[in-house]
Amino acid sequence: MDASLGSSELILNPDGSIYHLNLLPEDIATTIITVGDQDRVQEVTKYFDSVEIRKSKREFTTHTGHYSGKRLTVISTGIGTDNIDIVFNELDALANIDFTSRQIKSQKTRLNFIRVGTSGSLQPDIPVDTFLISSAGIGFDNLLHFYEAGQIKNKELEQALTEYLGWGKYNIHPYVVDFDKELGAVFDSNHIRFGITGTNSGFYAPQGRKLRLKPSITDFNEKLAGFSYQGTRITNLEMETAAIYGIAKLHGHRAVSLNAIWANRATGEFSKQGHRTIDRLIQYTLERMAQSQLI
């Protein structure tokens, strides 16, 4: 029998819930929608037929309920890949670790993760208020470098990008992970585009923005926009997708990231109807899920 996980590894609250998320194993469904903003959770579940679980702790708000006969969970991750590390490891623990024996289950449960979030376009021909599926996530953070993750990376794209950028002198070593094609196909239609998404470690200099501090890379966005791999461009920037793809795939789960384009960095435009656009993406996501046999 495998050794049980220690109390400083698998951290549980006094009520038996997982430490950060404050959830019990029975609180989550096998299909989980992630959003960044905790207020956006209810913007998804307002369309549910019923909601059975409502829990919050810190920036993590979780609702579980039913939509069109399917049991779904919606959870807010907060911003950034550090939060993704917490949320996705704890969600996997809820599904695949026995909290009583503190041992990993021999029979694993495969989860479906669908990110519904906002993003900024790098390409002038991808206007604001567009929907986009991330076919791959490029991590400009360091999260996946802390895991044995070589087997799940797109090494060819990673190498081509590294050689093109030449950013090793800035200690930037991007990793690349593809989406789950089977789950991605659920959301494919003529209403949504595909592209490679850059996941950044911050919002200002790490995305080429300048307020009072000078970025070390002055042509950050232009350099990324000029890259192409097998006919696919880097289309947009956000702050979670690559980590979602990486941690999900390492655990054997499916993941796809759906983006509502709120800003176009190439043209300087920002959406005048951003909240309407994300609401349309939420409805699109739920409708496609309702029609799917995979979910």
Side-chain angles (χ1 to χ4, degrees), residues 114-123 125-127 129-136 179 184 187-189 191-198 232-238 241 245 256-262 277 281 284-285:
I114 299 99
R115 172 189 176 269
V116 178
T118 60
S119 186
S121 170
L122 289 174
Q123 306 292 347
D125 61 330
I126 301 179
D129 304 315
T130 298
F131 298 165
L132 186 142
I133 296 175
S134 304
S135 59
F179 75 151
F187 304 97
D188 185 10
S189 78
H191 297 292
I192 196 163
R193 302 186 183 206
F194 284 80
I196 300 172
T197 296
T232 304
R233 302 171 297 171
I234 301 175
T235 49
N236 60 308
L237 301 178
E238 49 73 79
T241 293
Y245 286 2
V256 66
S257 177
L258 309 180
N259 303 267
I261 301 299
W262 271 17
T277 299
L281 181 58
Y284 176 84
T285 301

Side-chain angles (χ1 to χ4, degrees), residues 23 28 41 64 70 85 96 188 190-191 217 274 287:
L23 297 174
I28 65 166
V41 173
T64 295
K70 299 178 186 291
D85 185 59
N96 291 309
D188 185 10
N190 58 6
H191 297 292
I217 305 173
E287 289 165 5

Side-chain angles (χ1 to χ4, degrees), residues 227-258:
F227 177 77
S228 178
Y229 180 77
Q230 296 182 351
T232 304
R233 302 171 297 171
I234 301 175
T235 49
N236 60 308
L237 301 178
E238 49 73 79
M239 295 179 65
E240 291 88 32
T241 293
I244 288 172
Y245 286 2
I247 300 299
K249 191 164 284 191
L250 283 172
H251 279 126
H253 304 310
R254 300 185 183 96
V256 66
S257 177
L258 309 180

Side-chain angles (χ1 to χ4, degrees), residues 14 37 51 70 92 100 103 105 143 152 168 202 218 237 246 248 255 263 278:
D37 185 350
V51 177
K70 299 178 186 291
D92 176 78
T100 301
Q103 293 184 335
K105 296 177 181 178
L143 178 60
I152 57 97
T218 56
L237 301 178
I278 193 69

Side-chain angles (χ1 to χ4, degrees), residues 10 13 51 65 70 91 97 111 116-117 130 137-138 144 152 163 165 188-189 199 216 224 244 254 256-257 266 275 285:
L10 174 64
N13 297 312
V51 177
K70 299 178 186 291
L91 287 171
I97 295 176
L111 303 175
V116 178
T130 298
I138 301 169
L144 238 61
I152 57 97
E163 291 175 358
L165 292 175
D188 185 10
S189 78
T199 294
S216 60
L224 291 179
I244 288 172
R254 300 185 183 96
V256 66
S257 177
H275 294 291
T285 301

